[in-house]
Amino acid sequence: MRGFLFSVLAFGVMGCADTDSSVKVVNSIPTALITSHSDGSSMLEGDSVMFVGNASDDDNVAAELEALWQTGSDILCDWSAVGSGGTTSCDAVITVDMSVITLVVRDPRDAIGSVSVTIDIGATDAPTATISSPLSGASFYSDQSIDLEGVVDDTEDAQDTLTVSWQSDIDGALAADAAPDSTGTVLASTHLSEGEHFLTMTATDSSGKSGSDSVTINVGPANSPPVCALLAPEDGASGPEGDLVVFVGEVGDVDIPADSLAVSWSSDKDGELGASTPTSAGAVSFPYGGLSVDTHVISMTVADDIGVSCTDNVIYTVSTPPTVEISNPVDASVYTDLDLVRFSANVNDNEDFPTDLTLEWSSSLDGTLSTASSDSTGLTEFTRRDLSLGSHDITLTVTDTAGLFSASFVSFPGGEDEEAE
């Protein structure tokens, strides 16, 4: 920048011919006047201010004059022609060292006039910036969107007028939407390359002052999903209502320890069942006894630290056992040799049709007597004339398609041989 020495220049023209008379012409000094501000005007550091002044000269019209604005030795607005009517102006951003503003006016003969005003400048505070997320020391994946969150504030400027930027020492300026809201909250997101990043959030106010906060985070390679397998019970297994079923699985992840994985269990019929924690070796179990009577798809879902998951399923049926009631023979009935013995019973099941049930009539003496199915009403009946002599314990066992069974029993004493009588 350059300074100026202001002085009044007088120019004279003298005749020196062969006469002893002389003519002396004196140039007038231009007049400068600052009209927009007076001594002691107050403003804040960083304010954008227009200074306005007027220039005039007794010897020249306004269009022949030039004006310059400066503070100390620093030029704010360089020489330029004065406007119509002698008006001149200069836009400037106020800094703390602008205590004196000077308007300088120059005529075509380089005669200079000037005027100055002193201004009272209030210093402003730098904004504050605080990163709330991510936390220093946190770890992420290179294919993971990282949430950036912070809070900014300023003594003079509204929080939502501050300019916020994010910078990584590895990736440079981040293309993150970082405009704060009216509370100063900054929300953004970004992806970062692999490495240890020194991450900085900077807030800048209207005066150009800034404040920042930094954290160090680690970004690893792209995330690998967890692996999982539901090992027990076997697919298609079943059990009675109320039984405690122990579901067993195996999980793992190449990025994090197995016991850091989140395991949840659900049924397509009963909804969410609960959660369990794997061992460090990846073994996981989940005992549950509250499944409703139905055929369930049981799902084991395993999620890693960023929510990437895998799922394995098993079909498990909860059912009630069939019902059975023997109507013939009647308990303690007496039969003689070659008597026709009628066998009949009614069977039923809450889940299966009667014709889908498996039936077996057996005798403690003669073994299996019949395996014929019931009819559609659940009635099963047959006759036998060839039962062995002796006391019989008769059992009817009914098994449903889930493998659950019920049995009914009758006994009758052995009859006498009619020929022996």
Side-chain angles (χ1 to χ4, degrees):
M1 307 298 280
R2 50 184 178 143
F4 295 89
L5 177 62
F6 308 134
S7 61
V8 177
L9 302 178
F11 296 87
V13 178
M14 299 183 60
C16 52
D18 54 348
T19 176
D20 33 330
S21 63
S22 62
V23 178
K24 185 175 182 180
V25 178
V26 178
N27 183 42
S28 298
I29 298 173
T31 299
L33 177 65
I34 296 176
T35 58
S36 58
H37 296 81
S38 58
D39 282 335
S41 295
S42 296
M43 52 196 72
L44 290 176
E45 176 187 11
D47 284 351
S48 293
V49 177
M50 175 184 283
F51 294 102
V52 181
N54 186 268
S56 62
D57 190 272
D58 291 340
D59 301 323
N60 302 99
V61 296
E64 297 176 316
L65 302 177
E66 292 182 308
L68 172 142
W69 294 83
Q70 66 182 52
T71 177
S73 61
D74 294 332
I75 296 175
L76 298 178
C77 294
D78 211 344
W79 292 111
S80 62
V82 173
S84 174
T87 302
T88 178
S89 63
C90 180
D91 292 318
V93 177
I94 301 302
T95 60
V96 290
D97 55 354
M98 291 183 181
S99 58
V100 178
I101 303 298
T102 300
L103 168 61
V104 183
V105 179
R106 180 173 67 185
D107 70 11
R109 295 182 181 87
D110 289 333
I112 291 174
S114 66
V115 66
S116 298
V117 293
T118 60
I119 56 176
D120 183 13
I121 302 171
T124 59
D125 296 323
T128 60
T130 303
I131 296 175
S132 49
S133 180
L135 298 177
S136 194
S139 295
F140 300 92
Y141 301 100
S142 59
D143 61 341
Q144 176 186 3
S145 179
I146 301 172
D147 292 332
L148 308 176
E149 184 175 351
V151 178
V152 296
D153 198 9
D154 190 77
T155 304
E156 296 81 26
D157 293 352
Q159 290 156 303
D160 56 2
T161 64
L162 299 174
T163 300
V164 178
S165 62
W166 292 85
Q167 181 92 13
S168 160
D169 64 333
I170 296 177
D171 292 347
L174 303 180
D177 181 12
D181 63 16
S182 59
T183 68
T185 301
V186 181
L187 297 173
S189 62
T190 190
H191 285 80
L192 296 174
S193 58
E194 285 187 51
E196 186 177 77
H197 291 254
F198 187 71
L199 197 63
T200 302
M201 179 183 73
T202 300
T204 305
D205 64 16
S206 59
S207 69
K209 292 187 175 180
S210 62
S212 62
D213 190 22
S214 299
V215 293
T216 300
I217 63 173
N218 184 71
V219 178
N223 179 52
S224 298
V227 294
C228 56
L230 213 169
L231 305 177
E234 291 183 0
D235 194 43
S238 61
E241 181 182 14
D243 263 17
L244 183 68
V245 186
V246 180
F247 297 96
V248 178
E250 189 174 71
V251 301
D253 194 293
V254 297
D255 299 314
I256 60 174
D259 53 7
S260 297
L261 296 169
V263 181
S264 60
W265 301 83
S266 64
S267 158
D268 66 328
K269 301 301 191 302
D270 295 348
E272 296 297 323
L273 303 179
S276 52
T277 302
T279 67
S280 59
V284 59
S285 63
F286 180 68
Y288 192 77
L291 291 175
S292 61
V293 175
D294 214 325
T295 297
H296 298 256
V297 178
I298 303 297
S299 298
M300 177 183 72
T301 301
V302 182
D304 65 12
D305 52 336
I306 63 170
V308 178
S309 64
C310 71
T311 300
D312 198 14
N313 305 305
V314 65
I315 295 176
Y316 185 82
T317 300
V318 178
S319 60
T320 53
T323 59
V324 54
E325 183 179 1
I326 296 176
S327 52
N328 279 293
V330 177
D331 200 42
S333 297
V334 177
Y335 297 94
T336 60
D337 186 31
L338 301 180
D339 275 354
L340 183 67
V341 181
R342 180 171 174 263
F343 295 86
S344 65
N346 285 96
V347 298
N348 197 14
D349 190 84
N350 289 331
E351 294 79 44
D352 294 337
F353 291 110
T355 53
D356 292 331
L357 301 175
T358 300
L359 281 62
E360 181 182 14
W361 292 84
S362 64
S363 162
S364 56
L365 293 181
D366 295 334
T368 299
L369 302 178
S370 173
T371 58
S373 298
S374 71
D375 65 17
S376 61
T377 68
L379 175 64
T380 174
E381 58 182 353
F382 66 98
T383 57
R384 291 286 295 264
R385 193 186 293 272
D386 56 347
L387 294 180
S388 301
L389 292 176
S391 297
H392 289 259
D393 294 322
I394 302 298
T395 303
L396 172 56
T397 302
V398 182
T399 305
D400 64 18
T401 58
L404 302 181
F405 65 90
S406 296
S408 184
F409 308 91
V410 294
S411 297
F412 53 85
E416 296 180 357
D417 188 334
E418 290 181 344
E419 294 183 358
E421 292 179 355

